[in-house]
Amino acid sequence: MDTPIVLSHKTAWLFHHAPLRHEVVREALNSSIDRYGLSEPHITAAQAAKRIVHFLSDCGVPVGMLEAGHARNGDCSEHAPIIELLVATSNDRTSSKLFKTYSLGRPFNSSHLMHAAPGLFVVNEALNFMQAPTWMNPLEVLEYGFELCGRYELQILSPRQAYVECEPRCSLETIRHTLDAIPGMRGAHRARRALARIREGSRSPMETALALSILLPQKDGGLGYRNISLNHQIKIPAVLKPQCASDYLEADVFAPKRRVDIEYDGGEHAELARRTHDSDRTATFGALGITQRTITAQHFAHQLEFHRSMNGIASLLRVDVPHSIEFQRKQNELRMFLIRNWNNNGNSNSGQHHGA
């Protein structure tokens, strides 16, 4: 395989969630020894596949999560992992059954790739998001977009499906630029449609779930209200600063036209200091003329409580929602999807989440 090796699609998505990827890439690119040997000339497809699996395994990707296929022509064992690659043109495709190749239809743009090891590249996360609709359903694509543009990373390779806090790995602007640069890629149209409902700044999967419950159209069980932002900073006017500990407040889900802040609380708030902080915060929101509504894990845990809480939010946002059985069924299907990986504390198997 003498063309550049570029991991793509779900293989790239697994890499971008691998817990040890940063350390492995740093060591691979800075070492004087080519540990994986993917830059060697004239290596066979079987050799390349074995070395890529070694690299991914070192990053923390379980081999069993790679798509399984049936290798032929003596490439490897009968049941072998299939690695997804992106190639520049259809002439660069490999016939090996160990790989599934996708053609970009044009020369590679280095800004769309990240160097992972000598001789090995991975599509960056903006391009990977464009590809996501080819294997994810529309709601999963939205969740992925919120994650990329948010302040957390899902630990999808962990048995407990936890998440960790991190800086945003991408931005809506970067994704739009990538879509504009490669408009014809399969999945691009659906990715562009998803962008209209993605908001930057989510701090957790639970906050994302709350936002999607509001943003998604009513035909999908949401409220269909789009004019919201996440973790919007509201400056404290001088007259209120004597009663505030900081110069601004952050509203979890803020509807500026309605002056409504919707908070997600997955914790029990047992600590006196935390309760005091929240009390002061609520009072300041009230002084600013902002109505505050808190949604808890308990609301998401039960159909009727979720339905009632969404009706309350709809009233604050002045949204008319159907009262039909069909809408309630769709709303509950959405609720069940959004909480599918949550633990009993409503925290996506991770620590508590509180508003700032």
Side-chain angles (χ1 to χ4, degrees):
M1 298 184 67
D2 294 324
T3 58
I5 300 175
V6 181
L7 303 184
S8 188
H9 288 72
K10 192 172 182 179
T11 303
W13 178 74
L14 289 170
F15 165 81
H16 285 306
H17 287 87
L20 302 176
R21 66 189 186 277
H22 298 299
E23 294 89 336
V24 171
V25 169
R26 183 165 53 247
E27 182 178 347
L29 295 179
N30 293 326
S31 175
S32 58
I33 301 173
D34 183 0
R35 179 176 181 182
Y36 301 102
L38 290 164
S39 62
E40 294 176 6
H42 311 306
I43 60 174
T44 66
Q47 289 173 326
K50 184 176 181 180
R51 296 172 187 185
I52 292 170
V53 169
H54 181 195
F55 168 81
L56 291 172
S57 181
D58 283 353
C59 291
V61 176
V63 175
M65 294 193 75
L66 297 171
E67 184 178 342
H70 297 276
R72 299 176 185 172
N73 301 323
D75 276 336
C76 197
S77 60
E78 183 181 357
H79 297 285
I82 294 179
I83 299 161
E84 293 170 291
L85 303 181
L86 188 66
V87 296
T89 69
S90 57
N91 293 331
D92 299 317
R93 293 180 185 271
T94 175
S95 60
S96 171
K97 300 301 180 182
L98 296 171
F99 297 98
K100 182 183 290 185
T101 54
Y102 303 86
S103 173
L104 187 63
R106 65 186 71 195
F108 288 124
N109 183 329
S110 60
S111 67
H112 299 149
L113 307 178
M114 67 162 288
H115 200 184
L120 181 66
F121 298 82
V122 185
V123 298
N124 67 14
E125 292 193 280
L127 181 50
N128 203 206
F129 174 79
M130 286 178 56
Q131 299 168 339
T134 64
W135 80 88
M136 291 183 181
N137 69 42
L139 286 178
E140 289 172 329
V141 172
L142 287 169
E143 288 181 325
Y144 185 29
F146 269 85
E147 178 196 352
L148 285 181
C149 299
R151 297 188 235 170
Y152 66 94
E153 179 182 314
L154 288 173
Q155 303 292 282
I156 61 171
L157 307 184
S158 164
R160 299 181 65 247
Q161 289 276 307
Y163 74 93
V164 294
E165 296 179 1
C166 65
E167 291 300 311
R169 290 131 62 199
C170 208
S171 68
L172 292 177
E173 182 181 9
T174 299
I175 294 173
R176 289 191 185 100
H177 284 326
T178 306
L179 283 163
D180 291 342
I182 320 173
M185 172 169 280
R186 185 167 170 251
H189 178 66
R190 284 171 287 172
R192 190 181 294 277
R193 281 191 350 203
L195 282 188
R197 296 192 187 274
I198 293 172
R199 300 293 183 271
E200 296 178 326
S202 177
R203 291 178 297 190
S204 70
M206 297 77 67
E207 201 167 273
T208 291
L210 176 58
L212 286 174
S213 300
I214 297 166
L215 285 163
L216 285 170
Q218 293 181 1
K219 68 180 180 62
D220 296 326
L223 299 184
Y225 188 85
R226 293 198 185 194
N227 190 20
I228 62 171
S229 60
L230 272 60
N231 293 295
H232 178 80
Q233 290 191 358
I234 301 170
K235 290 184 177 180
I236 304 298
V239 67
L240 293 179
K241 283 188 177 180
Q243 68 186 53
C244 299
S246 64
D247 294 330
Y248 66 88
L249 293 175
E250 275 195 354
D252 279 5
V253 179
F254 186 57
K257 287 187 176 181
R258 304 294 186 237
R259 303 290 288 172
V260 171
D261 166 44
I262 306 158
E263 299 283 313
Y264 178 80
D265 174 16
E268 296 180 355
H269 276 202
E271 314 90 345
L272 181 60
R274 186 75 225 181
R275 288 162 53 194
T276 301
H277 171 272
D278 289 345
S279 176
D280 292 345
R281 189 169 179 268
T282 298
T284 304
F285 271 121
L288 291 170
I290 296 171
T291 302
Q292 195 175 32
R293 173 67 191 258
T294 299
I295 302 300
T296 70
Q298 182 75 5
H299 289 114
F300 273 95
H302 303 281
Q303 178 180 2
L304 186 56
E305 293 190 34
F306 182 73
H307 176 65
R308 289 170 175 164
S309 67
M310 287 297 109
N311 284 343
I313 292 173
S315 177
L316 292 174
L317 299 177
R318 299 175 218 166
V319 173
D320 293 326
V321 293
H323 298 291
S324 66
I325 296 297
E326 176 64 16
F327 175 72
Q328 291 183 42
R329 182 181 67 80
K330 286 287 187 182
Q331 188 179 63
N332 190 50
E333 288 176 354
L334 174 61
R335 178 188 71 85
M336 292 296 292
F337 176 84
L338 293 172
I339 68 172
R340 67 195 185 282
N341 294 321
W342 292 17
N343 63 16
N344 293 332
N345 296 322
N347 285 307
S348 189
N349 291 309
S350 70
Q352 293 181 355
H353 166 66
H354 300 290

